[in-house]
Amino acid sequence: MDDNRRLTLKNLPDVFVILKWMLIMGIVFIISLSWVYYDKSHISGLFFKIGNASLIAGAFYGLGGLTGFLFGIPKIIQSSVSDTNNNNNSDIVHNDNLVQISDWLTKIIVGVGLTQIYNIPKALHHVGEKLGTSILGYDPKNDMGTNASVAIILYFSVLGFMMVYIWTRLYFYDILKEADAKFKQMYKETKVQLENVIIEKKEIEAEKDAIISTFPDVTQEIKEKQINIRNDDNVENDPNKGKFGGLHENYGRKIAAVVRETSYDKELFVVDLEVTSTNEANPLTGEVIFHLHPSFKNEKEIIKVINGKAENKLISYGAFTVGVEADNGATRLELDLAELPDAPRIFRER
Protein backbone atom coordinates (compact mmCIF):
# COMPACT_ATOMS: atom_id res chain seq x y z
CA MET A 1 0.00 0.00 0.00
CA ASP A 2 1.55 3.32 -1.08
CA ASP A 3 1.72 6.53 1.02
CA ASN A 4 -1.27 8.15 -0.69
CA ARG A 5 -3.35 5.07 -0.01
CA ARG A 6 -2.35 5.02 3.65
CA LEU A 7 -3.15 8.72 3.99
CA THR A 8 -6.59 8.23 2.49
CA LEU A 9 -7.40 5.37 4.84
CA LYS A 10 -6.19 7.33 7.87
CA ASN A 11 -8.54 10.18 6.99
CA LEU A 12 -11.53 7.87 6.74
CA PRO A 13 -13.78 7.44 9.81
CA ASP A 14 -13.23 4.12 11.56
CA VAL A 15 -16.37 2.59 10.14
CA PHE A 16 -15.48 -0.83 11.51
CA VAL A 17 -15.82 0.49 15.08
CA ILE A 18 -19.40 1.53 14.31
CA LEU A 19 -20.17 -1.80 12.65
CA LYS A 20 -18.57 -3.65 15.56
CA TRP A 21 -20.86 -1.90 18.03
CA MET A 22 -23.83 -2.66 15.80
CA LEU A 23 -22.85 -6.34 15.91
CA ILE A 24 -22.62 -6.19 19.72
CA MET A 25 -26.03 -4.50 19.85
CA GLY A 26 -27.51 -7.27 17.73
CA ILE A 27 -26.12 -9.93 20.09
CA VAL A 28 -27.48 -8.01 23.10
CA PHE A 29 -30.88 -7.88 21.38
CA ILE A 30 -30.86 -11.67 20.91
CA ILE A 31 -29.96 -12.27 24.56
CA SER A 32 -32.54 -9.78 25.80
CA LEU A 33 -35.30 -11.22 23.63
CA SER A 34 -34.52 -14.75 24.76
CA TRP A 35 -34.43 -13.63 28.42
CA VAL A 36 -37.86 -12.04 28.25
CA TYR A 37 -39.62 -14.91 26.53
CA TYR A 38 -38.04 -18.02 28.04
CA ASP A 39 -39.78 -20.30 30.52
CA LYS A 40 -38.55 -19.15 33.92
CA SER A 41 -38.98 -22.61 35.37
CA HIS A 42 -36.42 -24.11 33.00
CA ILE A 43 -33.11 -22.27 32.71
CA SER A 44 -32.08 -24.56 29.87
CA GLY A 45 -34.78 -22.94 27.75
CA LEU A 46 -32.86 -19.67 27.86
CA PHE A 47 -29.74 -21.21 26.35
CA PHE A 48 -31.89 -23.07 23.83
CA LYS A 49 -33.49 -19.84 22.60
CA ILE A 50 -30.18 -17.94 22.56
CA GLY A 51 -28.57 -20.78 20.61
CA ASN A 52 -31.32 -20.93 18.00
CA ALA A 53 -31.40 -17.17 17.56
CA SER A 54 -27.58 -17.07 17.31
CA LEU A 55 -27.57 -19.79 14.64
CA ILE A 56 -30.12 -17.84 12.59
CA ALA A 57 -28.16 -14.61 13.03
CA GLY A 58 -24.84 -16.27 12.16
CA ALA A 59 -26.24 -17.97 9.08
CA PHE A 60 -27.66 -14.78 7.60
CA TYR A 61 -24.62 -12.75 8.71
CA GLY A 62 -22.49 -15.19 6.69
CA LEU A 63 -24.87 -15.03 3.74
CA GLY A 64 -24.78 -11.24 3.78
CA GLY A 65 -20.99 -11.29 4.15
CA LEU A 66 -20.61 -13.61 1.14
CA THR A 67 -22.82 -11.31 -0.92
CA GLY A 68 -20.81 -8.30 0.20
CA PHE A 69 -17.58 -10.07 -0.75
CA LEU A 70 -18.92 -10.89 -4.23
CA PHE A 71 -20.03 -7.29 -4.73
CA GLY A 72 -16.75 -5.87 -3.46
CA ILE A 73 -14.17 -8.01 -5.34
CA PRO A 74 -11.97 -5.68 -7.43
CA LYS A 75 -11.64 -6.30 -11.14
CA ILE A 76 -8.27 -7.48 -12.49
CA ILE A 77 -7.16 -5.70 -15.67
CA GLN A 78 -4.93 -7.94 -17.78
CA SER A 79 -1.86 -6.28 -19.28
CA SER A 80 -1.08 -6.82 -22.95
CA VAL A 81 2.07 -8.65 -24.04
CA SER A 82 3.70 -5.41 -25.18
CA ASP A 83 2.91 -3.71 -21.87
CA THR A 84 4.30 -6.68 -20.01
CA ASN A 85 7.54 -6.55 -21.98
CA ASN A 86 7.88 -2.78 -21.67
CA ASN A 87 7.32 -2.86 -17.93
CA ASN A 88 9.80 -5.71 -17.55
CA ASN A 89 7.23 -7.84 -15.70
CA SER A 90 7.10 -11.61 -15.62
CA ASP A 91 4.84 -13.53 -17.98
CA ILE A 92 2.37 -14.42 -15.22
CA VAL A 93 -1.30 -14.14 -16.18
CA HIS A 94 -3.85 -13.52 -13.45
CA ASN A 95 -6.50 -16.18 -12.88
CA ASP A 96 -9.64 -14.03 -12.75
CA ASN A 97 -12.16 -16.88 -12.42
CA LEU A 98 -13.28 -15.56 -9.02
CA VAL A 99 -13.78 -12.09 -10.50
CA GLN A 100 -15.89 -13.51 -13.34
CA ILE A 101 -17.97 -15.61 -10.92
CA SER A 102 -18.45 -12.53 -8.74
CA ASP A 103 -19.61 -10.54 -11.77
CA TRP A 104 -22.06 -13.25 -12.87
CA LEU A 105 -23.51 -13.82 -9.40
CA THR A 106 -23.84 -10.09 -8.75
CA LYS A 107 -25.86 -9.65 -11.94
CA ILE A 108 -27.97 -12.72 -11.15
CA ILE A 109 -28.67 -11.55 -7.59
CA VAL A 110 -29.64 -8.05 -8.74
CA GLY A 111 -31.70 -9.39 -11.64
CA VAL A 112 -33.60 -11.95 -9.58
CA GLY A 113 -34.07 -9.40 -6.78
CA LEU A 114 -35.64 -6.89 -9.17
CA THR A 115 -37.92 -9.42 -10.85
CA GLN A 116 -39.07 -10.89 -7.52
CA ILE A 117 -39.19 -7.65 -5.54
CA TYR A 118 -42.94 -7.94 -4.89
CA ASN A 119 -42.61 -11.54 -3.65
CA ILE A 120 -39.69 -10.84 -1.30
CA PRO A 121 -41.80 -9.50 1.66
CA LYS A 122 -44.12 -12.51 1.47
CA ALA A 123 -41.23 -14.97 1.29
CA LEU A 124 -39.45 -13.19 4.13
CA HIS A 125 -42.59 -13.36 6.30
CA HIS A 126 -42.93 -17.07 5.54
CA VAL A 127 -39.31 -17.73 6.55
CA GLY A 128 -39.89 -15.63 9.68
CA GLU A 129 -42.85 -17.80 10.65
CA LYS A 130 -40.82 -20.99 10.28
CA LEU A 131 -37.83 -19.69 12.20
CA GLY A 132 -39.81 -17.70 14.78
CA THR A 133 -41.08 -20.83 16.52
CA SER A 134 -37.51 -21.88 17.33
CA ILE A 135 -36.89 -18.55 19.04
CA LEU A 136 -40.07 -17.81 20.99
CA GLY A 137 -42.10 -20.95 20.45
CA TYR A 138 -45.38 -21.34 18.59
CA ASP A 139 -48.16 -18.89 19.50
CA PRO A 140 -50.90 -18.34 16.87
CA LYS A 141 -52.11 -15.20 18.65
CA ASN A 142 -48.70 -13.57 18.81
CA ASP A 143 -46.51 -12.60 15.84
CA MET A 144 -43.56 -11.65 18.06
CA GLY A 145 -41.57 -14.71 17.05
CA THR A 146 -42.08 -13.99 13.35
CA ASN A 147 -41.23 -10.32 13.75
CA ALA A 148 -38.15 -11.12 15.82
CA SER A 149 -36.79 -13.65 13.31
CA VAL A 150 -37.42 -11.27 10.39
CA ALA A 151 -35.62 -8.52 12.29
CA ILE A 152 -32.68 -10.82 12.98
CA ILE A 153 -32.52 -11.90 9.33
CA LEU A 154 -32.57 -8.35 7.98
CA TYR A 155 -30.30 -6.87 10.66
CA PHE A 156 -27.52 -9.45 10.46
CA SER A 157 -27.72 -9.87 6.67
CA VAL A 158 -27.25 -6.13 6.12
CA LEU A 159 -24.58 -5.97 8.83
CA GLY A 160 -22.65 -8.88 7.34
CA PHE A 161 -22.92 -7.37 3.87
CA MET A 162 -21.64 -3.97 5.02
CA MET A 163 -18.72 -5.27 7.08
CA VAL A 164 -17.38 -7.66 4.47
CA TYR A 165 -18.08 -5.32 1.54
CA ILE A 166 -16.19 -2.42 3.17
CA TRP A 167 -13.30 -4.70 4.17
CA THR A 168 -13.10 -6.10 0.64
CA ARG A 169 -13.15 -2.64 -0.96
CA LEU A 170 -10.56 -1.13 1.38
CA TYR A 171 -8.13 -3.94 2.10
CA PHE A 172 -8.64 -6.98 -0.14
CA TYR A 173 -7.13 -5.26 -3.20
CA ASP A 174 -3.95 -4.41 -1.27
CA ILE A 175 -3.67 -7.99 0.01
CA LEU A 176 -3.95 -9.32 -3.55
CA LYS A 177 -1.47 -6.75 -4.82
CA GLU A 178 1.10 -7.55 -2.15
CA ALA A 179 0.75 -11.31 -2.64
CA ASP A 180 1.01 -10.89 -6.42
CA ALA A 181 4.18 -8.78 -6.09
CA LYS A 182 5.81 -11.39 -3.83
CA PHE A 183 4.87 -14.22 -6.18
CA LYS A 184 6.23 -12.38 -9.21
CA GLN A 185 9.48 -11.69 -7.38
CA MET A 186 9.86 -15.36 -6.47
CA TYR A 187 9.00 -16.33 -10.05
CA LYS A 188 11.65 -13.99 -11.45
CA GLU A 189 14.32 -15.22 -9.04
CA THR A 190 13.55 -18.88 -9.79
CA LYS A 191 13.52 -18.19 -13.53
CA VAL A 192 16.91 -16.43 -13.38
CA GLN A 193 18.41 -19.29 -11.35
CA LEU A 194 17.12 -21.86 -13.83
CA GLU A 195 18.45 -19.88 -16.79
CA ASN A 196 21.86 -19.60 -15.10
CA VAL A 197 21.96 -23.36 -14.53
CA ILE A 198 21.07 -24.02 -18.19
CA ILE A 199 23.70 -21.55 -19.41
CA GLU A 200 26.33 -23.06 -17.12
CA LYS A 201 25.51 -26.56 -18.34
CA LYS A 202 25.74 -25.48 -21.98
CA GLU A 203 29.07 -23.77 -21.34
CA ILE A 204 30.48 -26.91 -19.72
CA GLU A 205 29.27 -29.12 -22.60
CA ALA A 206 30.60 -26.65 -25.16
CA GLU A 207 33.97 -26.62 -23.42
CA LYS A 208 34.13 -30.41 -23.42
CA ASP A 209 33.13 -30.59 -27.07
CA ALA A 210 35.66 -27.91 -27.97
CA ILE A 211 38.45 -29.95 -26.43
CA ILE A 212 37.44 -33.11 -28.25
CA SER A 213 36.74 -31.36 -31.58
CA THR A 214 40.31 -30.05 -31.72
CA PHE A 215 41.28 -33.53 -32.84
CA PRO A 216 39.04 -34.14 -35.89
CA ASP A 217 41.31 -36.78 -37.37
CA VAL A 218 41.26 -38.76 -34.15
CA THR A 219 37.48 -38.63 -33.81
CA GLN A 220 37.01 -39.66 -37.45
CA GLU A 221 39.33 -42.58 -36.88
CA ILE A 222 37.35 -43.62 -33.82
CA LYS A 223 34.13 -43.50 -35.82
CA GLU A 224 35.44 -45.55 -38.74
CA LYS A 225 37.03 -48.15 -36.48
CA GLN A 226 33.90 -48.65 -34.41
CA ILE A 227 31.72 -48.95 -37.51
CA ASN A 228 34.04 -51.50 -39.11
CA ILE A 229 34.32 -53.67 -35.99
CA ARG A 230 30.58 -53.56 -35.34
CA ASN A 231 29.98 -54.74 -38.90
CA ASP A 232 32.58 -57.53 -38.61
CA ASP A 233 30.83 -60.89 -38.36
CA ASN A 234 33.84 -62.39 -36.60
CA VAL A 235 33.47 -60.02 -33.64
CA GLU A 236 30.82 -60.72 -31.02
CA ASN A 237 28.21 -57.95 -31.04
CA ASP A 238 28.10 -57.34 -27.26
CA PRO A 239 30.71 -59.56 -25.56
CA ASN A 240 30.28 -58.13 -22.03
CA LYS A 241 26.55 -58.82 -21.87
CA GLY A 242 25.76 -61.07 -18.88
CA LYS A 243 29.42 -61.65 -17.92
CA PHE A 244 29.58 -59.23 -14.97
CA GLY A 245 26.52 -60.27 -13.00
CA GLY A 246 23.90 -58.28 -14.93
CA LEU A 247 23.45 -55.72 -12.12
CA HIS A 248 24.30 -52.02 -12.33
CA GLU A 249 24.22 -51.78 -8.51
CA ASN A 250 25.67 -54.35 -6.14
CA TYR A 251 27.61 -54.61 -2.86
CA GLY A 252 27.30 -50.90 -2.16
CA ARG A 253 28.61 -49.84 -5.57
CA LYS A 254 26.75 -48.38 -8.56
CA ILE A 255 27.52 -47.56 -12.17
CA ALA A 256 25.61 -44.82 -13.99
CA ALA A 257 25.90 -43.31 -17.46
CA VAL A 258 24.82 -40.18 -19.32
CA VAL A 259 24.75 -40.14 -23.13
CA ARG A 260 24.48 -37.03 -25.33
CA GLU A 261 25.18 -36.03 -28.91
CA THR A 262 28.44 -34.35 -29.79
CA SER A 263 28.21 -30.90 -31.37
CA TYR A 264 30.68 -31.72 -34.18
CA ASP A 265 29.35 -35.08 -35.42
CA LYS A 266 25.72 -36.17 -35.06
CA GLU A 267 26.73 -39.83 -35.45
CA LEU A 268 29.06 -39.81 -32.45
CA PHE A 269 28.00 -39.63 -28.83
CA VAL A 270 29.67 -38.65 -25.58
CA VAL A 271 29.26 -41.33 -22.89
CA ASP A 272 30.00 -40.27 -19.31
CA LEU A 273 30.47 -43.32 -17.08
CA GLU A 274 30.61 -42.98 -13.30
CA VAL A 275 31.11 -45.57 -10.58
CA THR A 276 30.28 -44.49 -7.02
CA SER A 277 29.52 -45.94 -3.60
CA THR A 278 25.98 -46.20 -2.28
CA ASN A 279 27.23 -46.86 1.24
CA GLU A 280 28.68 -43.84 3.04
CA ALA A 281 30.36 -46.11 5.58
CA ASN A 282 32.25 -47.88 2.80
CA PRO A 283 33.48 -45.30 0.26
CA LEU A 284 34.89 -46.31 -3.09
CA THR A 285 38.71 -46.30 -3.18
CA GLY A 286 41.61 -47.59 -5.26
CA GLU A 287 41.05 -48.27 -8.95
CA VAL A 288 38.14 -49.34 -11.14
CA ILE A 289 38.47 -51.42 -14.30
CA PHE A 290 36.06 -50.60 -17.16
CA HIS A 291 35.53 -53.38 -19.73
CA LEU A 292 34.42 -51.81 -23.03
CA HIS A 293 33.33 -52.92 -26.50
CA PRO A 294 36.06 -54.34 -28.80
CA SER A 295 35.59 -51.37 -31.13
CA PHE A 296 37.41 -49.16 -28.61
CA LYS A 297 41.18 -48.77 -28.77
CA ASN A 298 41.46 -50.04 -25.21
CA GLU A 299 38.91 -52.69 -24.34
CA LYS A 300 39.99 -52.48 -20.71
CA GLU A 301 40.62 -49.13 -19.04
CA ILE A 302 41.87 -48.68 -15.47
CA ILE A 303 40.60 -45.49 -13.83
CA LYS A 304 41.81 -44.21 -10.47
CA VAL A 305 39.15 -43.29 -7.89
CA ILE A 306 39.12 -39.56 -7.06
CA ASN A 307 36.90 -38.14 -4.32
CA GLY A 308 34.97 -41.38 -4.12
CA LYS A 309 34.25 -41.52 -7.88
CA ALA A 310 35.69 -43.29 -10.88
CA GLU A 311 34.79 -41.32 -14.00
CA ASN A 312 35.40 -42.38 -17.59
CA LYS A 313 34.47 -40.30 -20.66
CA LEU A 314 34.12 -42.08 -24.00
CA ILE A 315 33.27 -41.28 -27.62
CA SER A 316 31.02 -44.00 -28.99
CA TYR A 317 29.18 -44.72 -32.23
CA GLY A 318 26.52 -46.88 -30.55
CA ALA A 319 25.39 -48.66 -27.41
CA PHE A 320 27.15 -51.56 -25.73
CA THR A 321 27.40 -53.26 -22.34
CA VAL A 322 29.96 -51.90 -19.88
CA GLY A 323 31.52 -54.33 -17.42
CA VAL A 324 33.05 -53.00 -14.20
CA GLU A 325 35.42 -54.45 -11.63
CA ALA A 326 35.88 -52.58 -8.35
CA ASP A 327 37.34 -53.31 -4.92
CA ASN A 328 40.21 -55.33 -6.48
CA GLY A 329 37.74 -57.46 -8.43
CA ALA A 330 35.49 -58.26 -5.44
CA THR A 331 32.65 -56.17 -6.89
CA ARG A 332 31.41 -56.73 -10.44
CA LEU A 333 28.85 -54.47 -12.14
CA GLU A 334 27.23 -54.37 -15.54
CA LEU A 335 25.33 -51.69 -17.47
CA ASP A 336 23.71 -52.07 -20.89
CA LEU A 337 23.74 -48.59 -22.45
CA ALA A 338 21.00 -49.66 -24.87
CA GLU A 339 18.63 -49.80 -21.89
CA LEU A 340 19.16 -46.18 -20.82
CA PRO A 341 15.77 -44.45 -21.24
CA ASP A 342 17.30 -40.96 -21.56
CA ALA A 343 19.87 -41.91 -24.19
CA PRO A 344 19.21 -40.83 -27.84
CA ARG A 345 17.17 -43.39 -29.74
CA ILE A 346 19.65 -43.83 -32.61
CA PHE A 347 22.42 -44.54 -30.08
CA ARG A 348 20.35 -47.22 -28.32
CA GLU A 349 19.36 -48.93 -31.58
CA ARG A 350 22.93 -49.32 -32.91
Side-chain angles (χ1 to χ4, degrees):
M1 194 184 301
D2 55 32
D3 294 337
N4 294 332
R5 179 73 171 166
R6 286 195 181 97
L7 190 62
T8 303
L9 290 179
K10 285 182 179 179
N11 293 334
L12 286 175
D14 197 350
V15 66
F16 284 108
V17 174
I18 300 174
L19 294 175
K20 181 183 71 174
W21 282 108
M22 290 179 64
L23 180 61
I24 294 174
M25 288 172 58
I27 296 173
V28 170
F29 167 76
I30 290 175
I31 296 174
S32 302
L33 189 67
S34 302
W35 176 268
V36 172
Y37 284 92
Y38 91 100
D39 186 357
K40 301 300 187 294
S41 61
H42 297 88
I43 188 66
S44 60
L46 174 62
F47 297 104
F48 178 77
K49 292 180 182 297
I50 293 175
N52 285 336
S54 298
L55 286 174
I56 296 171
F60 283 94
Y61 179 88
L63 182 62
L66 176 61
T67 307
F69 179 73
L70 293 175
F71 274 74
I73 291 178
K75 290 185 178 295
I76 298 176
I77 301 176
Q78 302 287 0
S79 300
S80 63
V81 176
S82 58
D83 293 337
T84 301
N85 293 333
N86 292 334
N87 294 331
N88 197 27
N89 291 328
S90 63
D91 52 357
I92 300 173
V93 178
H94 289 284
N95 185 341
D96 61 347
N97 291 341
L98 183 60
V99 177
Q100 294 182 28
I101 293 173
S102 169
D103 190 40
W104 297 335
L105 289 178
T106 300
K107 293 177 180 178
I108 291 173
I109 292 171
V110 174
V112 172
L114 291 176
T115 57
Q116 301 295 323
I117 192 168
Y118 294 106
N119 297 325
I120 291 177
K122 182 178 179 180
L124 187 60
H125 185 270
H126 179 70
V127 172
E129 286 182 333
K130 296 292 184 181
L131 298 179
T133 57
S134 63
I135 301 176
L136 302 181
Y138 177 73
D139 186 356
K141 299 180 180 179
N142 190 353
D143 291 334
M144 187 60 190
T146 301
N147 297 336
S149 61
V150 171
I152 291 174
I153 291 172
L154 293 176
Y155 186 89
F156 283 93
S157 296
V158 173
L159 185 61
F161 177 89
M162 291 298 297
M163 293 187 75
V164 178
Y165 176 80
I166 293 174
W167 176 86
T168 304
R169 294 293 293 175
L170 294 181
Y171 301 109
F172 187 65
Y173 170 78
D174 296 300
I175 293 174
L176 288 179
K177 190 176 180 180
E178 183 178 355
D180 184 62
K182 290 182 179 179
F183 179 78
K184 284 184 177 181
Q185 183 63 29
M186 292 176 59
Y187 175 85
K188 284 182 179 180
E189 292 175 356
T190 305
K191 188 175 181 181
V192 170
Q193 291 176 0
L194 180 60
E195 289 175 350
N196 290 337
V197 171
I198 294 174
I199 292 173
E200 183 179 354
K201 182 179 179 181
K202 288 182 178 179
E203 289 177 350
I204 294 173
E205 292 180 354
E207 183 179 352
K208 293 178 180 178
D209 289 345
I211 295 173
I212 298 173
S213 62
T214 55
F215 305 99
D217 295 337
V218 175
T219 54
Q220 186 63 26
E221 181 182 342
I222 292 173
K223 178 180 174 180
E224 292 176 356
K225 180 181 178 182
Q226 291 193 5
I227 293 175
N228 291 333
I229 293 180
R230 285 172 179 272
N231 294 331
D232 189 347
D233 295 333
N234 296 321
V235 178
E236 189 177 351
N237 185 37
D238 197 5
N240 295 326
K241 184 71 173 179
K243 294 184 179 179
F244 291 85
L247 300 176
H248 72 280
E249 183 175 344
N250 198 15
Y251 297 114
R253 307 290 186 245
K254 181 177 70 173
I255 179 174
V258 177
V259 181
R260 60 180 176 84
E261 290 182 349
T262 62
S263 60
Y264 49 86
D265 191 331
K266 298 301 181 183
E267 291 191 334
L268 288 178
F269 300 87
V270 178
V271 181
D272 289 310
L273 300 173
E274 182 182 84
V275 178
T276 56
S277 172
T278 58
N279 184 0
E280 294 182 359
N282 183 23
L284 183 66
T285 58
E287 296 177 336
V288 173
I289 301 175
F290 290 85
H291 295 267
L292 309 177
H293 192 268
S295 59
F296 287 88
K297 182 178 181 180
N298 298 318
E299 294 185 40
K300 184 170 68 172
E301 293 189 359
I302 301 175
I303 304 297
K304 187 175 181 179
V305 177
I306 300 176
N307 295 328
K309 297 180 181 179
E311 298 177 320
N312 193 4
K313 184 180 294 294
L314 307 171
I315 302 296
S316 180
Y317 177 74
F320 59 95
T321 299
V322 183
V324 168
E325 289 181 281
D327 304 320
N328 295 320
T331 303
R332 295 166 67 85
L333 304 172
E334 184 178 312
L335 179 63
D336 188 351
L337 300 180
E339 296 177 357
L340 294 176
D342 296 332
R345 182 178 60 83
I346 188 172
F347 172 84
R348 289 185 279 110
E349 292 177 350
R350 286 176 175 170

